[in-house]
Amino acid sequence: MADNKNAGNGCSGKLNGNSRSGKLNGNCRPVDRQSLALQYTDHLRREFGLRADRVIFINGEEIVVTIRQEMLVQVCSYIRSTFQGILTTMVGTDERALNGHFVLYYTFSLDREGIFITVKAVVEGEHPVFPSVTPDTPAAHWYEREVKDMLGLVPVGHPDPRRLVLHDNWPQGLHPLRKDFKRDEQPPVNTEKHFPFPKVEGEGVFEIPVGPIHAGIIEPGHFRFSAMGESVLHLEARLFYTHRGVEKLAEGMSLEKGLFLAERVCATCAVSHAVAYCQAVEKMAGVEAPPRVRYIRTILLELERIYNHIGDVGNICAGTGFAFGTSHCGRIKEMLMQLNEELTGNRFLRGMNRLGGVRRDVGGPAVYKILNVLEKAEREFREVTEVILSHDFFLNRAATTGILPRDAAVDLGAVGPAARASGVDRDIRREHPHAAYGDLEFEVPVFSAGDVLCRLQARVEETFQSIKIIRQALEKLPCGDLTVEVGEIPPYKHALGYSESARGENIHWLMTGPDNTIFRYRVRSASFCNWPVVPLTVPGNIVPDFPLINKSFELCYSCLDR
């Protein structure tokens, strides 16, 4: 069990005075991102001898650079080290019907400039291999394993070539995201192979298998502990037990229908996924949502964050047996979810977004209802968290437990409160302002100790910031239309959509097909980035601490098993 050395001051890792404001101004970022993007592309052209026609721009904030496959590691490494680029997503596509090739897209965020650089490389259909960038860019490790499973593209030199998404009963040679794989195909089951779990050997070392079926009402995941006594030496997690094939299901679907699919990637992140999807479509259509829509989307995103954060704080308390926090956070969360239903007709805020706008207005009596409920929720949540953060029993369990070092969070691409609790000062609401975030003032709370206590405190502070954001948005809510026409989008265009969910940033990559259909849809959820870091936080703790550590990340199986 964790000791109490940090209990006297709660989480000593808060970076007081270093939390940056979310409102953009002339001192934060250059106004002309197009000019800045040109500077970066000129730099890349000179450094690697790229032709001008190998660089395209999307809405002034996305740069796509096409390179030869053999340059992939070199260019990605250069963007990461020289430009301080952060790998945001990686997408593989089967474009053999168009040009005979598979294509890889590695997208990096340049946070300070508010732009994305995508490195595009072709993989020959006859020889589906490519050089792995993982040894130099560790955050690519799951992306490249996934593209091997789903498209059959082999990352040569990857340090962990095991399967990721496809389990070992899936037959060799069948890759679901290839265009010639039929959705209704029923492959034969292979029962002979087993997943190769690493072994920790030595006198007194034994294995504890947990799951994939659990005692509680949760989704399946298998966790295999190597332990000596109660001390954990190693943890191996095996996930993707209920993969739903969302990205395959989206192929050929209309863009309008695709929104309903996006909204159902995860119930508790429904607004975040819907907004990210809508933004990707609107970018490709060359339209911008009306000002009132952008403010309403912001309000919905923050309402979603608040009820999730408060519920997560209660769940962390449950991991310590602290019933006071669990009960009161559950009560406050229920109050907020009833507000959601009154505003939108759905407790999870579904059905509000549409392509180019929103379906229902937020105004009149609804404004006063939101303000009144938030005032009560803020007051009561503050009282509850003051008790939680002053209780010796809770602090003893949470402080110094499940530490995620900052270097590991950066290298493996952790996002959201989990990353910010470890000193990673990133929030896509500030780095890439969307909806109305560029017009509003907010702080991004950052902590440094990286333990359970810091992850809880990050959620607590973000909750109060979210309430502040909603109040500003309601005060500034502009008049205007609730939708704009999206129109016809040419086939084979692609763009990013993004949003900051309660768990971290969600990235949606979308490529159109003919007649406003979907050719390729890639959902990169926050949980996809954060699940790989969880096993790193467990060794050195005891087995009974694992439920608490796991709850402090509060990751989603559904977002992973998309």
Side-chain angles (χ1 to χ4, degrees), residues 56-60 62 64 91 93 95 98 105 118 120 179 255 277 279-287 486-497 508-522:
I56 64 171
F57 298 90
I58 302 174
N59 278 23
E62 292 183 44
V64 181
V91 185
T93 62
E95 301 180 23
L98 308 178
Y105 301 83
T118 295
K120 176 182 176 182
K179 295 296 184 182
L255 292 173
Y277 179 91
Q279 288 176 343
V281 174
E282 289 156 12
K283 270 191 196 177
M284 291 186 291
V287 301
V486 169
E488 192 72 20
I489 301 174
Y492 313 117
K493 291 186 70 172
H494 61 84
L496 287 175
H508 289 225
W509 190 96
L510 196 63
M511 177 182 279
T512 55
D515 304 318
N516 273 23
T517 59
I518 297 171
F519 181 81
R520 175 74 167 98
Y521 179 35
R522 169 72 163 94

Side-chain angles (χ1 to χ4, degrees), residues 230-395:
E230 285 199 324
S231 298
V232 179
L233 303 177
H234 178 76
L235 170 62
E236 187 79 12
R238 185 75 166 123
L239 303 165
F240 297 97
Y241 279 89
T242 54
H243 200 279
R244 293 167 290 161
V246 166
E247 295 174 5
K248 186 67 177 182
L249 185 62
E251 292 179 1
M253 189 176 284
S254 70
L255 292 173
E256 290 80 5
K257 191 174 180 181
L259 173 57
F260 292 93
L261 192 63
E263 210 169 33
R264 283 153 181 82
V265 169
C266 171
T268 57
C269 302
V271 177
S272 176
H273 286 299
V275 169
Y277 179 91
C278 287
Q279 288 176 343
V281 174
E282 289 156 12
K283 270 191 196 177
M284 291 186 291
V287 301
E288 186 174 357
R292 189 173 183 87
V293 169
R294 292 189 288 110
Y295 274 78
I296 291 174
R297 285 178 177 175
T298 301
I299 293 166
L300 295 172
L301 285 164
E302 296 307 312
L303 286 172
E304 182 174 78
R305 186 185 323 281
I306 292 170
Y307 88 74
N308 272 289
H309 276 347
I310 292 176
D312 291 347
V313 170
N315 287 336
I316 294 171
C317 290
T320 67
F322 192 18
F324 170 86
T326 306
S327 300
H328 282 285
C329 287
R331 177 181 57 79
I332 299 169
K333 177 184 176 182
E334 175 61 24
M335 179 200 317
L336 292 163
M337 296 193 77
Q338 289 180 12
L339 171 65
N340 294 344
E341 185 171 21
E342 188 171 337
L343 292 175
T344 70
N346 190 284
R347 287 167 60 86
F348 295 102
L349 300 165
R350 282 177 173 163
M352 278 292 287
N353 283 282
R354 60 179 297 178
L355 301 185
V358 292
R359 298 181 186 277
R360 298 173 69 168
D361 199 2
V362 173
V367 172
Y368 298 103
K369 178 68 174 180
I370 294 171
L371 291 173
N372 289 336
V373 172
L374 287 184
E375 181 181 6
K376 182 179 181 183
E378 180 183 31
R379 181 180 67 254
E380 295 185 0
F381 186 57
R382 194 178 298 278
E383 292 171 354
V384 170
T385 53
E386 285 174 357
V387 173
I388 294 170
L389 294 172
S390 63
H391 200 288
D392 287 343
F393 167 77
F394 179 82
L395 296 176

Side-chain angles (χ1 to χ4, degrees), residues 30-188:
V31 175
D32 189 355
R33 286 187 292 184
Q34 180 80 31
S35 298
L36 193 62
L38 284 170
Q39 294 177 31
Y40 278 100
T41 54
D42 287 344
H43 190 128
L44 288 172
R45 279 200 293 261
R46 290 193 305 270
E47 184 69 24
F48 297 103
L50 303 177
R51 299 201 315 262
D53 63 352
R54 294 290 182 174
V55 179
I56 64 171
F57 298 90
I58 302 174
N59 278 23
E61 70 166 2
E62 292 183 44
I63 309 166
V64 181
V65 180
T66 303
I67 63 168
R68 300 189 308 275
Q69 185 196 121
E70 56 267 26
M71 299 170 61
L72 187 59
V73 174
Q74 185 182 5
V75 174
C76 288
S77 177
Y78 191 85
I79 292 172
R80 189 175 68 85
S81 59
T82 304
F83 296 165
Q84 283 74 57
I86 298 167
L87 184 63
T88 302
T89 190
M90 180 267 208
V91 185
T93 62
D94 181 358
E95 301 180 23
R96 289 176 297 169
L98 308 178
N99 50 39
H101 307 307
F102 297 97
V103 182
L104 299 175
Y105 301 83
Y106 289 78
T107 298
F108 293 83
S109 170
L110 275 57
D111 286 351
R112 291 177 300 178
E113 293 79 8
I115 60 178
F116 294 97
I117 297 181
T118 295
V119 179
K120 176 182 176 182
V122 167
V123 178
E124 297 296 333
E126 300 292 325
H127 188 55
V129 300
F130 65 98
S132 171
V133 309
T134 296
D136 187 76
T137 306
H141 67 312
W142 265 27
Y143 295 109
E144 293 185 336
R145 288 174 66 188
E146 185 180 61
V147 89
K148 179 184 176 185
D149 283 358
M150 305 303 279
L151 283 165
L153 310 182
V154 180
V156 177
H158 194 290
D160 185 2
R162 295 176 299 170
R163 286 184 170 189
L164 179 71
V165 179
L166 301 181
H167 282 225
D168 296 276
N169 59 353
W170 186 271
Q172 295 285 343
L174 286 181
H175 305 288
L177 285 182
R178 289 193 174 192
K179 295 296 184 182
D180 51 10
F181 181 89
K182 305 303 180 186
R183 283 196 298 248
D184 57 356
E185 186 172 341
Q186 295 292 326

Side-chain angles (χ1 to χ4, degrees), residues 413-492:
V415 296
R420 291 189 284 272
S422 295
V424 180
D425 191 3
R426 291 193 69 235
D427 188 317
I428 206 166
R429 294 174 296 174
R430 181 188 63 199
E431 269 62 71
H432 297 273
H434 51 282
Y437 289 114
D439 301 333
L440 306 174
E441 293 278 0
F442 61 96
E443 298 295 319
V444 177
V446 180
F447 297 78
S448 63
D451 56 10
V452 169
L453 184 57
C454 281
R455 289 190 282 275
L456 179 138
Q457 286 193 297
R459 289 180 172 86
V460 170
E461 294 300 324
E462 285 189 19
T463 298
F464 297 133
Q465 290 296 320
S466 293
I467 293 171
K468 175 182 175 182
I469 289 171
I470 293 174
R471 285 173 176 153
Q472 290 178 75
L474 289 172
E475 183 180 350
K476 296 182 177 182
L477 187 62
C479 299
D481 296 332
L482 294 181
T483 187
V484 65
E485 184 66 31
V486 169
E488 192 72 20
I489 301 174
Y492 313 117

Side-chain angles (χ1 to χ4, degrees), residues 213-224:
I213 305 304
H214 300 276
I217 307 175
I218 62 172
E219 294 162 286
H222 180 73
F223 304 95
R224 186 167 298 200

